[in-house]
C-alpha cells in the first residue's frame, strides 16, 4: 500500500517507520524542512526514541520511507493518510486551538484523490472527526465521505520513548462515520500493525471496533481523564491525611492490595502533554462534568500546597534560597510540557524566595532559556522542593545541599533516614503542619 503520514513528530515519525517495516511504501509530510532533510538522510531529527535511528538507517536507503514538505507529492493516489499533527489547548481559556490541524487538513484535502482512507490519530474532542474534518475535507476536495473517501478516528495511546513496544502492546481503537467506514479503518490497521499476545485483555489484542469515531475519540479522553481524576483523589486523600496524622501511602498501598482499587499517588504537580491537557478537551464537549473540573483544579493547587509546606518550616520565604529539583514533568524524561516546575517557581517567586532550578537532564543554557537560574549541587540553600522523580535525586543528602533545613519531597522518592537534621515533608505523610 501507499501510505502518507502527516507530521514527522515524536509520534508521526515512529508510526511511519512502523508502517514501512510492515512492507508499505511510506511518505512522511512535515512543514519543517530540517526534519524532512534529516529523515531523508536516515537520521533521527530528535533524540530519545528507542530503535528509531537504527530503523531509519535501514528503511530510508532501502527506499521504503522518505519525507517531503510537499502535500502534492505525498497525498494523491495514497491508499491511506494517517494524520498526527498536534492540537493545542489554550492555557487560560482551556479551549482547543485547531490552527495547525486545520492547516494540515486543508492541505491534504486540496490534494486528495478517490478511494483514500484518512485516519486522524491526534487526540480530539468528541465529535471533531464528524463535525469538523468531514465538512472541511468535503468542501475543499469536492469528494464525498463514504462514497469517494473514508474518514476514521484512531487515537494514539503510545508513550514517546517506547513507541514501538507500545504499538504492539496496546489495542488499536478504530471508529468511523459508518459501519462500512469503521470496517475499512480496521482493515487498514490490521495491515499496518503487529500485536503481542495479551491473555490479560477481555478480548484479543489487535484492532478493536469502537463502532463510531465518537466512541474512539472519547476512549482516549476518558483514559487520560481517569488518570487526572484519580491523581486528584489521591491528592485530596493526601491533604486529609496530613491534617489527621495518617500516612496516606500506607492507606493507598492497603487499598490497592485488593483487585478493585487502583488509587494513584499524590504529588506536587500533574504535568506532561497529555494528562493535564485532555481533561480540558473533555470538558469542552461535556462542560457539566464537575468531577473532572474539580479534579483538574485540585491538581493545579498542589504546587502552592507544597510551597506552603516549605513555609511551614522556613517561615516567611522572602529572601530565602530555594531550589526546585527537576524541571521535567516527571522523572527520566527530558520534557517540560505543562511541568510542575513552572507553577512551583512562580509560587515561590511570588512569595519572595530566591529561586533556582536543577535538573540532571538539562544544561544551564537550557534552563536559562526558560528564565530559570540554574542550581549546581553543592551550592548553599535554605530549602528544596523535589518536583521530578529523577533517579539521581534518590541518593542526595544534606551534604549535597549545604544549609538545607527543609526538603519537600513532592514525589515521595527520598529516604528521610539519609536526611538527618533536615525536615523532610512528603505530601500525605501525615505530619500535621
Ligand atoms: N507526545 C506524546 O507522548 C503523545 C502520546 C500519545 C498521543 N500523542 C498525540 O500525538 C500528537 C502529536 O504529538 P507529537 O509529540 O508527535 O508532536 P511533535 O510536536 O513532536 O510533532 C509535531 C509535528 O507536526 C508538524 N506539523 C505542524 N504543522 C504541520 C502541518 N500543517 N503539516 C505537516 N506537519 C505539520 C511539526 O513540524 C512537527 O514536526 C499530539 O497532539 C497527541 O494528540 C502524543
Ligand atoms: C501511565 C500512563 O497512563 N501514561 C500515559 C501518559 O504518560 P505521561 O508521560 O504523561 O506520564 P504519567 O501519566 O505517568 O504522569 C503524568 C503526570 O502525573 C504525575 N503523576 C503520575 C502518577 C501518579 O500516581 N501521580 C502523579 O502525580 C506525574 O508525575 C506526571 O507529572 O500520557 C501519555 C499521553 O497520552 C500516554 O500515552 C501514556 O500512556
Amino acid at each position: 500500500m501507499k501510505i502518507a503520514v502527516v507530521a514527522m513528530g515524536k509520534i508521526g515519525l515512529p508510526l511511519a517507520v512502523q508502517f514501512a517495516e510492515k512492507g508499505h511504501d511510506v511518505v512522511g509530510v512535515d512543514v519543517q524542512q530540517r526534519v524532512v532533510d534529516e529523515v531523508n538522510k536516515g537520521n533521527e531529527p530528535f533524540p530519545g526514541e528507542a530503535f528509531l535511528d537504527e530503523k531509519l538507517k535501514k528503511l530510508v536507503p532501502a527506499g521504503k520511507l522518505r519525507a517531503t514538505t510537499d502535500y502534492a507529492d505525498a497525498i494523491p493516489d495514497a491508499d491511506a493518510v494517517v494524520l498526527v499533527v498536534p492540537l493545542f489547548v489554550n492555557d487560560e481559556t482551556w479551549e482547543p486551538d485547531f490552527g495547525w490541524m486545520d492547516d494540515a487538513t486543508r492541505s491534504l484535502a486540496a490534494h486528495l484523490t478517490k478511494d483514500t482512507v484518512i485516519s486522524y490519530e491526534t487526540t480530539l474532542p468528541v465529535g471533531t472527526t464528524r463535525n469538523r474534518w468531514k465538512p472541511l475535507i468535503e468542501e475543499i476536495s469536492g469528494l464525498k465521505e463514504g462514497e469517494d473517501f473514508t474518514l476514521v478516528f484512531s487515537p494514539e495511546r503510545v508513550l514517546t520513548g517506547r513507541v514501538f513496544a507500545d504499538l504492539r502492546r496496546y489495542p488499536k481503537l478504530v471508529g468511523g462515520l459508518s459501519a462500512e467506514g469503521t470496517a475499512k479503518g480496521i482493515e487498514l490497521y490490521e495491515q499496518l500493525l503487529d500485536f503481542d499476545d495479551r491473555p490479560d485483555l477481555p478480548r484479543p489484542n489487535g484492532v478493536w471496533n469502537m463502532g463510531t469515531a465518537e466512541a474512539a475519540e472519547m476512549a482516549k479522553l476518558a483514559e487520560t481523564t481517569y488518570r487526572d481524576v484519580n491523581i486528584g483523589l489521591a491528592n485530596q486523600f493526601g491533604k486529609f491525611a496530613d491534617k489527621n496524622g495518617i500516612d496516606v501511602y500506607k492507606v493507598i498501598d492497603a487499598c490497592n492490595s485488593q483487585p478493585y482499587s487502583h488509587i494513584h499517588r499524590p504529588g506536587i504537580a500533574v504535568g506532561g502533554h497529555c494528562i493535564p491537557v485532555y481533561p480540558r478537551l473533555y470538558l469542552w464537549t461535556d462542560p457539566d462534568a464537575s468531577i473532572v473540573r474539580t479534579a483538574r483544579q485540585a491538581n493545579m493547587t498542589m504546587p502552592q500546597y507544597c510551597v506552603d509546606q516549605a513555609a511551614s518550616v522556613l517561615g516567611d520565604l522572602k529572601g530565602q534560597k530555594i531550589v526546585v529539583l527537576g524541571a521535567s514533568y516527571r522523572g527520566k524524561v527530558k520534557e517540560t510540557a505543562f511541568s510542575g516546575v513552572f507553577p512551583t517557581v512562580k509560587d515561590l517567586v511570588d512569595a519572595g524566595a530566591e529561586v533556582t532550578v536543577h535538573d540532571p537532564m538539562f544544561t544551564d543554557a537550557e534552563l536559562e532559556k526558560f528564565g530559570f537560574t540554574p542550581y549546581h549541587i553543592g551550592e548553599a540553600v535554605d530549602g528544596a522542593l523535589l518536583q521530578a522523580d529523577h533517579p539521581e535525586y534518590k541518593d542526595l543528602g544534606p551534604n549535597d545541599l549545604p544549609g538545607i533545613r527543609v526538603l519537600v519531597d513532592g514525589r515521595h522518592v527520598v529516604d528521610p533516614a539519609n536526611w538527618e537534621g533536615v525536615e523532610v515533608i512528603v505530601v500525605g505523610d501525615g505530619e500535621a503542619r
Side-chain angles (χ1 to χ4, degrees), residues 26 45 60 130 136 177 267 363 369:
V26 182
V60 173
R130 193 181 303 272
L136 188 58
L177 304 186
T363 63
K369 263 198 200 150

Side-chain angles (χ1 to χ4, degrees), residues 7 9-11 30-32 71 84 86 100 122-123 156 158 160 278:
K10 291 187 284 294
I11 299 296
D30 203 286
V31 287
Q32 288 187 67
Y71 279 79
V84 66
W100 284 20
T122 307
T123 308
E156 196 42 78
V158 299
T160 49
Y278 298 150

Side-chain angles (χ1 to χ4, degrees), residues 119-427:
S119 175
Y120 280 76
E121 294 211 5
T122 307
T123 308
L124 295 174
V126 176
T128 307
T129 306
R130 193 181 303 272
N131 302 326
R132 191 176 188 99
W133 305 138
K134 177 178 176 281
L136 188 58
I137 297 170
E138 286 185 340
E139 185 198 323
I140 293 172
S141 68
L143 301 175
K144 206 155 169 41
E145 202 283 331
E147 289 173 20
D148 304 317
F149 71 97
T150 302
L151 184 57
V152 301
F153 180 73
S154 179
E156 196 42 78
R157 308 162 75 205
V158 299
L159 194 58
T160 49
R162 51 164 214 232
V163 171
F164 297 107
D166 283 355
L167 282 173
R168 300 182 64 92
R169 284 194 305 162
Y170 299 159
K172 190 72 178 128
L173 315 180
V174 179
L177 304 186
S178 63
E180 298 74 35
T182 302
K184 282 193 183 164
I186 290 172
E187 196 189 330
L188 168 70
Y189 279 105
E190 278 172 346
Q191 295 176 71
L192 298 179
L193 300 172
D194 290 310
F195 295 97
D196 291 338
D197 192 26
R198 290 277 306 275
D200 56 314
L201 292 176
R203 48 185 166 133
N205 199 7
V207 185
W208 285 21
N209 182 338
M210 295 300 290
T212 62
E214 286 76 12
E217 288 164 340
M218 183 172 169
K220 172 74 185 187
L221 295 179
E223 70 186 16
T224 46
T225 298
Y226 157 80
R227 198 157 169 80
D228 198 39
V229 172
N230 195 328
I231 298 168
L233 184 65
N235 283 328
Q236 188 75 58
F237 288 155
K239 286 180 178 175
F240 176 81
D242 275 344
K243 278 201 203 100
N244 290 280
I246 300 166
D247 180 347
V248 83
Y249 298 94
K250 279 210 169 86
V251 172
I252 292 173
D253 287 347
C255 295
N256 292 355
S257 66
Q258 51 91 309
Y260 306 109
S261 180
H262 306 281
I263 304 172
H264 290 12
R265 302 254 147 190
I268 186 168
V270 179
H273 291 286
C274 303
I275 308 301
V277 176
Y278 298 150
R280 302 176 196 200
L281 287 186
Y282 180 74
L283 281 164
W284 196 60
T285 39
D286 186 5
D288 296 334
S290 54
I291 195 169
V292 175
R293 194 178 299 280
T294 304
R296 182 83 296 274
Q297 284 165 342
N299 288 339
M300 289 169 70
T301 66
M302 292 311 289
Q304 183 67 61
Y305 182 77
C306 290
V307 169
D308 292 345
Q309 299 271 299
S312 72
V313 174
L314 296 176
D316 188 352
L317 295 181
K318 204 161 180 216
Q320 306 243 26
K321 291 189 173 71
I322 314 272
V323 56
V324 178
L325 298 170
S328 297
Y329 74 91
R330 67 169 166 82
K332 293 195 266 188
V333 293
K334 188 178 177 183
E335 175 60 68
T336 57
F338 293 90
S339 171
V341 73
F342 300 110
T344 305
V345 167
K346 182 181 180 303
D347 293 343
L348 286 166
V349 168
D350 288 350
E354 278 180 34
V355 188
T356 52
V357 174
H358 177 271
D359 195 300
M361 302 186 87
F362 288 79
T363 63
D364 283 2
E366 286 169 334
L367 292 175
E368 280 162 2
K369 263 198 200 150
F370 292 114
F372 300 145
T373 305
Y375 172 84
H376 308 103
I377 297 292
E379 288 172 358
V381 290
D382 296 299
L385 277 82
L386 194 155
Q387 195 286 129
D389 46 344
H390 290 309
E392 290 85 345
Y393 292 150
K394 249 192 155 160
D395 301 323
L396 285 182
N399 293 339
D400 299 309
L401 293 92
I404 184 167
R405 284 178 284 148
V406 60
L407 169 65
V408 180
D409 178 359
R411 299 296 179 191
H412 197 218
V413 291
V414 307
D415 180 356
N418 296 340
W419 289 83
E420 222 186 300
V422 178
E423 183 86 42
V424 176
I425 300 176
V426 185
V427 178

